[in-house]
Amino acid sequence: MQSKLKSYGLLLILPITVVILSMTMGATNFVGISELIRYSSSAISKLISGTTNLPQSSIETILWQVRLPRIVLTFIVGAALASSGNVLQAIFRNPIVDPFTLGISSGSAVGAALAMVVPVLSINISAFVFGICAVLLTYLISKTNVKSSLINMVLSGMIISGVFTAVLTLLQYISDPYKLQMIVQWTMGNLHTASWEKVEIAFYPILIGLTIIILFRWKLNLLSLGDEEALAVGVKPGLLKVILIGVATLITAACVAAVGVISLFGLIVPHISRMFFGPNNEKTVWANISIGGTLLLVIDDFSRTVMPFEIPVGVFTMLIGAPIFIYLMRKNAANWN
């Protein structure tokens, strides 16, 4: 019991610590812990006294309008992608499935690119709509004889991803140089444009999705055992899979619409969570939220401080995620069984 409390305490303390340290990191290096405490106290005093409309200093603007929205957006996106990956791996009973297997990332990328080339819709709305369309197409293509097998859905997702990738390449080819640069940056993970507006757009669908995942976390254990076992205890696996795949699609599309494509993240983090907390989804759901958000924050901190210029976070997740996944597979430490 004591070790269990320590584990859950660590899941709470670790992200708080990383968030505080992330607030002190950036191009403006003279914001330390003491300055952060002082400006935080000042912000709380203004909030209590109702004087938040007073002019802010340059440091306050950097902290509350640049760094904090980026940190919040990064954390919720990391938590959402990790949770989505865990759900899909449990449903498909396949440790190499990730949130983009169903074609969500490619569809959303096409939506965003189309909004950049032909600005009819906003980038976020267009990316979200095309992400949903991609998973619907995947489901319809995989549906044979009224039923849709999980293997068919994975293969259909690969086909849809290929088609949308081809469309994205075509959009890049016909775009002018400025829009082409925007599209390329977005497909590599675009956290440097984080704002409170983007946080608000991504927050509510992610909150709804994570809440549903938390409520259904014990049923994920039944789905990971197979349909027959789920039916034996009175759970309808078909309906439950539709709900959870829909939820995973919702939060993944919201993430991709807000920050672009972040590769391999939703594939790696569920394995790390199972390494430390075992395969029980009642535990790993909480672990994925904490570890996913914290890890993406750490990666983002590296991407904006390790070089004089900012490196897209999607490049870092690929470079870091691939060796980690190879290590887990080689050492058989993923604890899938």
Side-chain angles (χ1 to χ4, degrees):
M1 181 66 180
Q2 190 174 5
S3 61
K4 184 178 180 181
L5 289 175
K6 287 182 180 179
S7 299
Y8 283 108
L10 184 63
L11 290 179
L12 183 63
I13 294 171
L14 185 62
I16 293 174
T17 304
V18 173
V19 166
I20 293 173
L21 292 175
S22 298
M23 287 290 290
T24 66
M25 297 180 182
T28 308
N29 295 320
F30 51 84
V31 181
I33 296 293
S34 58
E35 288 84 0
L36 178 61
I37 294 173
R38 179 159 57 87
Y39 285 112
S40 298
S41 302
S42 174
I44 293 171
S45 300
K46 289 181 180 179
L47 187 64
I48 294 174
S49 61
T51 57
T52 54
N53 57 344
L54 293 177
Q56 292 183 326
S57 66
S58 59
I59 301 300
E60 288 177 312
T61 302
I62 291 170
L63 287 175
W64 314 130
Q65 303 301 325
V66 178
R67 292 187 184 175
L68 187 58
R70 178 167 182 160
I71 288 169
V72 172
L73 184 62
T74 302
F75 187 88
I76 62 175
V77 165
L81 290 176
S83 300
S84 181
N86 184 60
V87 167
L88 294 175
Q89 288 176 11
I91 292 174
F92 285 81
R93 302 173 67 193
N94 188 333
I96 61 171
V97 168
D98 74 341
F100 305 112
T101 301
L102 302 181
I104 302 170
S105 77
S106 299
S108 296
V110 168
L114 189 61
M116 294 173 191
V117 176
V118 185
V120 178
L121 292 173
S122 72
I123 293 175
N124 293 328
I125 294 174
S126 182
F128 180 77
V129 169
F130 273 79
I132 297 295
C133 290
V135 77
L136 288 175
L137 286 172
T138 298
Y139 174 75
L140 292 174
I141 292 173
S142 65
K143 189 175 181 180
T144 56
N145 297 326
V146 184
K147 293 184 178 180
S148 177
S149 72
L150 297 181
I151 294 176
N152 282 346
M153 286 197 72
V154 173
L155 295 176
S156 300
M158 294 173 64
I159 295 170
I160 293 298
S161 293
V163 171
F164 275 113
T165 300
V167 176
L168 178 62
T169 303
L170 178 62
L171 289 173
Q172 291 175 334
Y173 184 77
I174 64 175
S175 300
D176 61 65
Y178 175 71
K179 291 178 180 177
L180 175 61
Q181 184 181 15
M182 289 177 60
I183 295 171
V184 171
Q185 287 183 346
W186 190 87
T187 56
M188 292 188 294
N190 194 7
L191 285 168
H192 69 274
T193 59
S195 63
W196 286 118
E197 182 183 358
K198 284 194 173 183
V199 171
E200 186 177 358
I201 291 171
F203 179 76
Y204 293 106
I206 289 175
L207 177 63
I208 293 169
L210 291 180
T211 301
I212 295 173
I213 291 172
I214 290 170
L215 293 175
F216 284 89
R217 64 189 185 278
W218 67 273
K219 293 186 179 180
L220 283 172
N221 290 330
L222 298 176
L223 291 179
S224 63
L225 294 175
D227 290 356
E228 294 181 1
E229 288 76 4
L231 286 169
V233 294
V235 173
K236 297 180 179 179
L239 177 61
L240 190 58
K241 288 175 183 176
V242 170
I243 293 173
L244 289 173
I245 290 174
V247 167
T249 302
L250 171 68
I251 62 178
T252 302
C255 293
V256 174
V259 303
V261 180
I262 300 178
S263 305
L264 275 184
F265 193 79
L267 178 67
I268 298 299
V269 177
H271 288 274
I272 297 174
S273 298
R274 283 192 291 269
M275 248 179 60
F276 290 103
F277 293 90
N280 186 353
N281 286 288
E282 291 195 65
K283 296 179 181 178
T284 57
V285 163
W286 299 107
N288 280 302
I289 292 173
S290 177
I291 295 173
T294 303
L295 182 59
L296 191 59
L297 260 180
V298 172
I299 294 173
D300 184 49
D301 289 339
F302 273 103
S303 73
R304 58 194 173 98
T305 57
V306 72
M307 298 288 285
F309 52 89
E310 184 171 324
I311 301 174
V313 69
V315 175
F316 264 96
T317 57
M318 181 64 75
L319 292 176
I320 296 172
I324 291 175
F325 189 65
I326 292 171
Y327 172 79
L328 292 175
M329 295 294 289
R330 295 286 294 178
K331 295 295 183 180
N332 195 25
N335 201 15
W336 182 254
N337 294 320

